[in-house]
Amino acid sequence: GIASTTAFTQPQSFTSTRRSSFLASTTATSDTEIEEAKSLLCRAAETKLENPDRVLDALESLEKNCKRKHKDNPAEFSKDILDNISGEWRLIFTTGTKERQKKSGGRVNYFPLKAIQTFDATVEPKVIENGIFAWDVPLIRFSGDFDFDERKRKLEFDFDLIEIFGLIKIKLGRKEVAKIGASTGLGSANNEKLADNGRRAFFDWISADENIATARGGGGGLALWKRIDE
């Protein structure tokens, strides 16, 4: 009886050890791949000289591994994003929405205009702004509020104010703002559809740290931002 019990428990212990070892190895691999992807994306944000296809590969690798990390500890991972998201971010690279990718033949590249997104998660309601600038003058800027769902890493937002040339401010409904946003390239046609159905536009957030932020928009496009030093 003792011999058979020993024979039975050893494989269990061995299997448990192998499982722990596998999980530790997977976590270490994810961490390494995250750092490698972030390193390339930081260089791309600084210089805009990295090959666009490599930037896209790094974004997709980062998204895959960050999803894994979020699954392991959703609360801690999402808190880290929310703690880092406040500030001004310049859009560096975007794949565009899936619709836009089809029109361009799948080509992706660095964003040619000075587009700046601002988040403030330290106030309630949380504030979001999105604008296109010429030097420091906002040619057009949208303002609104956002919520962050920590379980899903989802940032949902509405714009209800448009500012033109930093002088004229116009209050509009979210459907009108979504339509203007899609026409200027600051939003997607998908945001219009969401507004028509009474839903908010959103980003599935991937990462945010002291240098860069990454997310996938509701229209399916991936984006890379660089933090603007204050």
Side-chain angles (χ1 to χ4, degrees):
I2 294 173
S4 62
T5 302
T6 304
F8 178 73
T9 55
Q10 280 179 339
Q12 275 192 327
S13 175
F14 181 65
T15 302
S16 176
T17 302
R18 285 188 64 184
R19 188 182 297 117
S20 298
S21 177
F22 173 76
L23 290 173
S25 173
T26 302
T27 300
T29 301
S30 291
D31 289 344
T32 300
E33 289 181 358
I34 285 172
E35 289 309 310
E36 288 174 352
K38 281 188 174 183
S39 179
L40 187 145
L41 294 173
C42 280
R43 292 197 303 273
E46 285 294 330
T47 67
K48 290 191 175 183
L49 295 176
E50 294 292 330
N51 183 294
D53 289 332
R54 290 193 67 207
V55 176
L56 177 57
D57 288 344
L59 282 167
E60 289 178 338
S61 172
L62 185 63
E63 181 181 39
K64 177 191 72 176
N65 285 295
C66 281
K67 279 182 178 178
R68 215 175 264 163
K69 294 277 286 184
H70 177 259
K71 191 175 180 181
D72 291 341
N73 194 334
E76 182 180 334
F77 192 90
S78 293
K79 183 179 183 300
D80 188 56
I81 290 174
L82 206 54
D83 286 347
N84 282 295
I85 202 173
S86 293
E88 289 187 318
W89 301 88
R90 179 164 180 170
L91 182 61
I92 298 295
F93 184 95
T94 178
T95 63
T97 63
K98 288 180 179 176
E99 292 171 355
R100 204 166 292 165
Q101 287 176 49
K102 286 177 184 175
K103 289 178 183 176
S104 67
R107 292 189 303 274
V108 294
N109 217 325
Y110 293 94
F111 198 74
L113 305 175
K114 186 179 180 181
I116 295 175
Q117 206 141 24
T118 304
F119 301 93
D120 188 351
T122 66
V123 296
E124 284 297 339
K126 297 176 180 66
V127 175
I128 180 173
E129 293 181 349
N130 194 10
I132 290 179
F133 289 71
W135 295 279
D136 293 328
V137 178
L139 301 180
I140 185 167
R141 178 162 54 192
F142 300 88
S143 302
D145 62 84
F146 75 91
D147 292 308
F148 188 75
D149 186 337
E150 294 186 16
R151 294 168 304 147
K152 299 178 180 178
R153 297 172 293 108
K154 180 175 282 190
L155 189 153
E156 296 182 300
F157 62 94
D158 280 324
F159 293 125
D160 58 8
L161 182 70
I162 296 178
E163 187 179 347
I164 301 170
F165 300 123
L167 300 170
I168 305 165
K169 295 184 178 182
I170 307 167
K171 270 274 191 185
L172 288 174
R174 64 183 178 187
K175 289 184 182 180
E176 290 83 0
V177 175
K179 190 170 184 178
I180 295 169
S183 67
T184 60
L186 286 174
S188 72
N190 187 65
N191 292 350
E192 284 188 77
K193 295 173 187 174
L194 290 170
D196 286 339
N197 293 323
R199 295 168 60 197
R200 306 179 91 187
F202 67 90
F203 290 109
D204 288 325
W205 218 259
I206 299 170
S207 71
D209 59 32
E210 66 275 14
N211 299 311
I212 59 170
T214 57
R216 185 179 287 276
L222 285 163
L224 165 67
W225 292 268
K226 174 190 173 186
R227 187 186 292 279
I228 299 173
D229 296 328
E230 294 180 3

